[in-house]
Amino acid sequence: MSTTPEEAAAESPLTNPEFREQLRELPPSAKLVAKVLEGASPLSQGQLAEESLLPDRTVRYALNRLEEEELVGSRYSFHDARKQVYYLTE
């Protein structure tokens, strides 16, 4: 079962007003990481750094802030159990 881009956008947490309000108070790096995760998820910290063009350290800070607000979740990667991957929460 596939979804159209419009359906995928409608399902995105970034369309949720409550999610957006929490995100509004965070630094720009956290907003960028959330936007990257909206398009392609789940991603590792390294993949997020590559996609966002932010330094690894900045991505880690952004992820920590997003996790504190419970806007991002993480789990171990199915491809490499040594890595965690991140995704937007509902």
Side-chain angles (χ1 to χ4, degrees), residues 4-90:
T4 65
E6 293 80 18
E7 290 171 333
E11 296 170 5
S12 169
L14 289 178
T15 60
N16 178 337
E18 187 177 308
F19 187 97
R20 291 176 65 87
E21 189 58 37
Q22 284 182 279
L23 192 59
R24 190 178 316 273
E25 303 302 319
L26 296 178
S29 59
K31 293 172 185 162
L32 178 56
V33 167
K35 188 66 176 171
V36 170
L37 284 172
E38 177 188 36
S41 180
L43 294 174
S44 69
Q45 181 180 339
Q47 291 169 317
L48 282 166
E50 189 174 308
E51 291 293 321
S52 66
L53 303 177
L54 293 171
D56 287 337
R57 189 172 174 176
T58 303
V59 170
R60 180 78 244 148
Y61 174 74
L63 286 169
N64 284 336
R65 294 295 307 272
L66 288 164
E67 285 179 320
E68 287 172 5
E69 296 294 322
E70 298 179 357
L71 300 176
V72 166
S74 66
R75 64 170 170 77
Y76 287 102
S77 170
F78 295 131
H79 300 291
D80 185 349
R82 297 170 297 174
K83 294 183 179 180
Q84 287 205 21
V85 291
Y86 300 88
Y87 55 89
L88 295 177
T89 59
E90 296 292 323

